[in-house]
Amino acid sequence: MAADSHLDPELTRDRNTVPAISDDFCNYMKLIAKTEPEIMSTLLPILRTKPDSGIQLVNTKFTNYATWRKNQSRREKITLEEEYAVLRYDEDHDIAWAVIAAKVLSAAKHRPERIFIDYSAQYILDFARRPGKAKRKHQRTCCKRLTVVEGLEYGLKNNLPREQDWKYAGCRDIRKPTSIPLFRMGGDLRLTKEPSPALSNLRMVPVAAQLHVFEPDIDRIVGDEIYRGPTYFESKYVGLRDVMIYATEVVDKELVAVVNFPYKRLKKLRVLLDVMLVQTPREDETNDPFEELENPTYLLTKFCILIRP
C-alpha cells in the first residue's frame, strides 16, 4: 500500500518564497494538538533548508515523516572509470566499510595515464582498529564494527599493500603482517552531510556515504527504479548503511546518485538526491524518535570525501 508521499511541483524560488504545506501535514499538526511554538519547532528546521516544493506528510504504520524537494545546484551526468565502480563484498558479513575505504584510496592514488591498481581491502580489514582499543587474541576480521572513515584514516596513516600481494579473503582469523611492499596513500579527508561538495569531488574520485534505508522500499526496487525513501504505509526505518557513489544521472529533471549498495544483493542502486525528510512522530508513539532522522536530512548523508593530493 503506497503512503501519501507525492511532492508538489517545484516552487519559483526567491528570497520571500514560503513553501506550501500540504493539507495532510496541516491536518496532522492539528490532530496532535500542538501549540503554536511546538508547531514552529517542527516547521522551522524544514523552512531553514529552503524547500523547492511543498512539504508533504508520509504517514506510515510506525511513524510519520515530512518530505520535500531540495534541488541540488550541480545537475549533470558524471561517470567515473569502470574500475572505480567494481567492489567485492562478503554478503554474509558486515565488511563493506573496509572494501569501500580501499576502493576510494585506490582511486585517489590512480592517475588516468596509468594502469589502475587496487590496494588491499583485506589489509585494512585485518589490521585497522579503533585508537586506544587493545587487539584481542583470536579476533576475526568480521568481528570489528568500524566505519569507512576509520578505514580511510588507517590507510592514510599506515600505507597499504596491493590487492595482488594481500588478497581478499573476507572474514578470517587475523594474521600477522608479513614482509610485503607497502605503498603510501595520499589525500585530504573531508566529512560533510551536504551533497554539494561531494558532487564536486565526484568528477575525480568516488565518494563514500551513508544511506538512510527503509524497508520494504529497498526490497521492491526493480531494475533502474529510483529509491526515494519511505513511500509505503508499511515503510520501516532500519538505519544507515555504507555505500559508495560512483556516478550521477539526470532522470526526468531529477538528480540521481548511482551507488554501490552491498546489501540485499542489489549491488547497484539509484538514489534520489533531490529529496529531504525528517521524522515527525505521532502522539501515540511509544518509541523514541530515530536520532538519525530528528533533523532534516538527505537520503544520502555523512559523505567521506578524499581529495587527491
Side-chain angles (χ1 to χ4, degrees):
M1 179 179 178
D4 181 7
S5 59
H6 175 71
L7 294 182
D8 286 346
E10 291 184 53
L11 300 174
T12 302
R13 285 235 54 87
D14 61 54
R15 60 185 299 177
N16 298 314
T17 298
V18 178
I21 301 173
S22 71
D23 290 340
D24 284 343
F25 193 87
C26 288
N27 292 335
Y28 159 70
M29 299 302 283
K30 293 175 183 176
L31 181 65
I32 61 177
K34 290 289 187 182
T35 64
E36 185 172 335
E38 289 173 321
I39 291 174
M40 291 309 296
S41 71
T42 300
L43 284 177
L44 280 177
I46 298 174
L47 297 179
R48 288 192 186 107
T49 69
K50 299 181 180 179
D52 293 306
S53 77
I55 302 165
Q56 300 289 334
L57 179 70
V58 180
N59 178 30
T60 75
K61 180 179 179 181
F62 307 97
T63 188
N64 288 344
Y65 302 95
T67 66
W68 59 98
R69 186 178 176 113
K70 178 61 180 174
N71 294 332
Q72 301 303 314
S73 57
R74 183 182 292 272
R75 311 184 67 76
E76 61 183 327
K77 181 176 180 178
I78 301 174
T79 304
L80 294 177
E81 295 185 44
E82 186 176 342
E83 295 92 338
Y84 292 5
V86 178
L87 296 184
R88 180 186 295 171
Y89 297 114
D90 182 340
E91 294 175 345
D92 298 319
H93 301 100
D94 185 12
I95 61 174
W97 62 273
V99 177
I100 292 172
K103 182 62 74 171
V104 172
L105 287 163
S106 301
K109 190 172 179 65
H110 180 234
R111 291 295 180 267
E113 68 277 5
R114 302 176 186 173
I115 297 174
F116 182 81
I117 297 175
D118 269 310
Y119 292 88
S120 177
Q122 188 66 44
Y123 199 84
I124 296 175
L125 198 60
D126 285 345
F127 303 116
R129 63 179 185 271
R130 288 202 170 99
K133 257 199 167 179
K135 185 165 62 175
R136 299 185 319 198
K137 290 183 178 180
H138 308 299
Q139 184 187 35
R140 289 176 65 79
T141 55
C142 55
C143 299
K144 301 177 185 180
R145 299 293 181 186
L146 302 187
T147 66
V148 174
V149 174
E150 288 167 319
L152 289 170
E153 289 175 339
Y154 177 83
L156 290 171
K157 290 177 182 177
N158 296 277
N159 306 331
L160 296 177
R162 294 172 297 187
E163 172 75 21
Q164 66 190 55
D165 297 326
W166 197 268
K167 293 185 183 299
Y168 182 84
C171 188
R172 68 179 182 186
D173 290 332
I174 291 180
R175 302 182 179 186
K176 293 181 179 179
T178 57
S179 180
I180 56 173
L182 296 179
F183 297 85
R184 182 182 178 184
M185 300 293 109
D188 182 15
L189 181 60
R190 299 182 185 179
L191 309 179
T192 180
K193 292 184 178 180
E194 293 296 320
S196 181
L199 296 177
S200 296
N201 199 61
L202 188 61
R203 289 171 168 272
M204 308 255 302
V205 178
V207 174
Q210 290 196 315
L211 176 68
H212 291 289
V213 174
F214 292 84
E215 295 178 348
D217 307 82
I218 285 284
D219 302 312
R220 295 179 182 176
I221 295 291
V222 177
D224 290 340
E225 289 181 349
I226 299 170
Y227 175 63
R228 300 173 179 276
T231 55
Y232 298 99
F233 180 69
E234 301 87 356
S235 294
K236 183 178 181 181
Y237 185 63
V238 296
L240 288 164
R241 299 290 184 268
D242 291 317
V243 298
M244 189 185 78
I245 309 169
Y246 64 88
T248 58
E249 300 172 350
V250 179
V251 182
D252 296 331
K253 297 183 180 181
E254 293 182 319
L255 186 63
V256 174
V258 185
V259 308
N260 267 299
F261 183 72
Y263 310 92
K264 303 289 184 181
R265 304 183 187 276
L266 280 175
K267 305 295 187 186
K268 178 180 179 181
L269 182 69
R270 286 174 168 80
V271 180
L272 184 61
L273 283 166
D274 289 335
V275 66
M276 296 190 76
L277 75 158
V278 68
Q279 186 180 6
T280 53
R282 296 189 289 255
E283 286 289 295
D284 59 355
E285 287 187 41
T286 56
N287 297 327
D288 292 332
F290 298 112
E291 182 180 352
E292 301 93 335
L293 299 175
E294 283 186 308
N295 297 304
T297 178
Y298 293 96
L299 288 175
L300 285 164
T301 186
K302 297 186 177 180
F303 300 93
C304 302
I305 305 167
L306 190 60
I307 299 174
R308 276 181 172 171

